[in-house]
Amino acid sequence: MTDQRTSTGRNAVLGLALSVAAPFAGAAESATQQIARAGTQASFAGPAENFIGKVRVDPLFAADAEVQASSAYVSFEPGAHSAWHTHPAGQRLVVTSGVGLTQEWGKPAQRIHPGDVVVCPAGVKHWHGAAPHSAMTHLAVTGVAEGKTVTWMEQVSDAQYSEAAAIFDVAVAGALSARQQAIPLIAAAAATSNLPQLNAALNRGLDAGLSISEAKEILVQMYAYTGFPKSLNALGELMAVVEARKGQGMTDAPGQPPSGEIPVGAALRAVGTANQTRISGAPVTGPVMEFAPVIKQFLQSHLFGDIFERDNLDWQGRELATVGALAAMPGVEAQLRSHMAASQRVGLSREQLEHVVQLLAHSGDPAAAARAAKALEQASTASP
């Protein structure tokens, strides 16, 4: 079907480049720069007649007499996608985050990743959206011809989407078990507060046999590396996932709580110091510890004591989580390098850590994968 709304309405929302002319009104007459501040233009949900799943459109600029194109960021939650459509004056898409799919009528679907540029020629029937396991956001710049940006057609059927998404069903080959593969992806999504991606990673982990107790433990540990707010938000997402799976008749293993009694006081710090030394390969010292001795106390008593003494997640799982989280956060490369070395001390092989790099790349975060690959190489070079 077609839709010929004017640019004063939401036609550009449907054209994946919402037209909001007000911030730029009078630009041509005044010949001065105009600035629409971030957050001042309201976002809209992609309408159900043109999209499947949850889609948000954040407008950037409207077409005018000088520039015959409009633009917006369009964010798709995992599995969300557009209907089939064409653009009378073409469109350009730049993927900014996540992993997606695009398909031209009569041709195989293709994966799209951050940094990819998709050129949609005028009149070519196609659709685009997120992969099943990942959210995806792209910047859309859409041409305008005779006031029109898009011609909408039929919805992509479930069978068509499933066939297109089958290109993601091929597992990322490597040395980690299916259960282990989910751990760094869960941690990376929690570290970046990407809740749609976290939802997909948690479902993947539970499907692979990760217990609810282990999933909780991964997200509780995250507060030591990413902060309480992100940890709490991630735990809330896990609650929602578990409830949703129950509603679908799925039964997940509850897992076991920590066994044994964790010491307190001086005994706790002694245990934590021993754990820290084993994981780090030597007693941890340095100018920062001398400048702020209390941070050393907290690391030994709490992180390597209270947390690492909890045995409902093994140390390999804890290091996989830590590596995934640190790789997802720019600016902590030194700590990531240290944990790449620590991961090998607790029994993870180089091949398993290379698998983590591949998983991060496959999940749509090439920057995290690059940081992880560099840290692994540096840690391996530094090892005796």
Side-chain angles (χ1 to χ4, degrees):
M1 64 179 179
T2 63
D3 193 328
Q4 300 184 8
R5 293 178 176 82
T6 65
S7 61
T8 57
R10 296 188 182 179
N11 66 316
V13 174
L14 307 183
L16 307 184
L18 185 71
S19 179
V20 179
F24 298 95
E29 291 81 357
S30 62
T32 61
Q33 289 186 333
Q34 305 292 313
I35 300 175
R37 297 295 181 185
T40 61
Q41 302 183 70
S43 61
F44 296 92
E49 62 266 29
N50 302 119
F51 297 94
I52 295 292
K54 292 184 178 180
V55 178
R56 188 185 76 247
V57 181
D58 294 288
L60 294 174
F61 60 83
D64 58 25
E66 188 173 1
V67 178
Q68 291 295 302
S70 55
S71 183
Y73 285 113
V74 187
S75 300
F76 300 81
E77 292 200 1
H81 53 276
S82 74
W84 292 100
H85 60 283
T86 63
H87 298 287
Q91 186 181 63
R92 303 293 185 268
L93 305 175
V94 182
V95 183
T96 59
S97 66
V99 182
L101 286 164
T102 186
Q103 184 176 22
E104 190 175 325
W105 184 261
K107 296 183 179 180
Q110 299 184 71
R111 302 184 195 190
I112 48 177
H113 298 88
D116 290 348
V117 178
V118 182
V119 177
C120 305
V124 171
K125 183 176 179 179
H126 68 285
W127 66 269
H128 37 91
H133 67 281
S134 174
M136 188 273 289
T137 297
H138 62 52
L139 168 69
V141 180
T142 308
V144 179
E146 298 180 353
K148 188 176 179 182
T149 60
V150 62
T151 298
W152 287 106
M153 301 175 180
E154 71 271 23
Q155 289 284 8
V156 175
S157 70
D158 290 345
Q160 287 172 326
Y161 182 80
S162 295
E163 182 180 357
I167 60 176
F168 293 104
D169 290 341
V170 178
V172 180
L176 294 172
S177 69
R179 172 188 162 281
Q180 288 175 316
Q181 289 180 45
I183 294 175
L185 300 180
I186 290 170
T192 55
S193 294
N194 189 330
L195 296 186
Q197 193 127 342
L198 176 60
N199 185 293
L202 287 168
N203 274 290
R204 173 177 177 169
L206 293 170
D207 287 343
L210 199 69
S211 73
I212 296 173
S213 175
E214 289 171 321
K216 288 179 186 176
E217 198 67 20
I218 293 165
L219 300 179
V220 167
Q221 180 179 317
M222 283 300 96
Y223 96 81
Y225 295 98
T226 68
F228 266 119
K230 290 182 177 181
S231 177
L232 291 169
N233 289 346
L235 286 165
E237 189 66 21
L238 174 59
M239 287 176 59
V241 166
V242 170
E243 287 305 309
R245 289 169 68 89
K246 284 182 181 177
Q248 295 165 12
M250 304 171 73
T251 302
D252 296 305
Q256 299 297 321
S259 65
E261 185 174 343
I262 297 175
V264 296
L268 174 63
R269 186 166 186 183
V271 167
T273 300
N275 290 344
Q276 182 191 45
T277 301
R278 177 184 165 192
I279 291 169
S280 302
V284 177
T285 59
V288 172
M289 305 298 176
E290 296 172 5
F291 179 71
V294 70
I295 198 68
K296 183 175 183 178
Q297 175 187 335
F298 289 164
L299 283 168
Q300 292 172 340
S301 296
H302 188 48
L303 177 56
F304 292 103
D306 281 319
I307 293 179
F308 272 76
E309 276 295 285
R310 293 167 62 85
D311 60 4
N312 55 332
L313 182 66
D314 62 28
W315 280 11
Q316 290 186 9
R318 291 190 183 282
E319 284 302 318
L320 286 171
T322 303
V323 164
L326 295 177
M329 298 188 297
V332 293
E333 286 79 3
Q335 291 87 344
L336 175 58
R337 184 170 61 249
S338 295
H339 279 280
M340 281 295 190
S343 295
Q344 294 175 77
R345 292 190 195 99
V346 301
L348 290 166
S349 67
R350 180 184 175 89
E351 291 72 24
Q352 287 175 310
L353 294 170
E354 289 172 343
H355 197 182
V356 172
V357 175
Q358 295 169 351
L359 290 165
L360 291 170
H362 187 72
S363 72
D365 196 341
R371 287 190 288 268
K374 183 177 181 180
L376 177 57
E377 187 60 36
Q378 291 173 335
S380 299
T381 301
S383 299

